Amino acid sequence: MSFILRAVLLTLCLAPYLYFGIRDVLHHQEHRTVSFTERLLHVTLGAMLTIIVPHAYQGHFDVVIPGLTLFVAARALDEFVFHRGLAAAEVDLHAKTHFGFLVFVVGVMGVDCLMRQNHLP
């Protein structure tokens, strides 16, 4: 598979997460002040993504899989510690960001599977 085709497909799969992630950041700026600890966790999540996403594009699963494991653990910590008792609109937005990230993860797995079976050039 050419890197360009892989990049296009994965970018399409990443788009929902980016969209809802940006909406979540904007929502926080308008509706809820985030504590320093939660902000630090969000920065950590962002740093993890700067490692996971480029390696996913390059197909380096020896980095992606442990990175995803840590990322999901940190997201779970964020949800269970900081996101209790939030307004329905914010809960809905968080659910959509989780779904958007799942689309990216499934896209990464699907592209890799198609590539290994030579279904994509």
Side-chain angles (χ1 to χ4, degrees), residues 18-76:
L18 291 174
Y19 174 76
F20 289 114
I22 290 168
R23 282 190 54 203
D24 186 44
V25 168
L26 295 174
H27 182 84
H28 282 170
Q29 290 176 348
E30 291 180 26
H31 300 288
R32 181 171 70 91
T33 303
V34 177
S35 70
F36 174 77
T37 309
E38 185 178 2
R39 189 176 311 275
L40 184 61
L41 182 57
H42 290 171
V43 168
T44 302
L45 288 165
M48 291 170 140
L49 286 175
T50 64
I51 295 168
I52 294 167
V53 171
H55 283 283
Y57 274 67
Q58 295 172 355
H60 299 160
F61 290 97
D62 54 332
V63 175
V64 173
I65 299 302
L68 285 175
T69 303
L70 292 172
F71 181 81
V72 168
R75 285 290 299 252

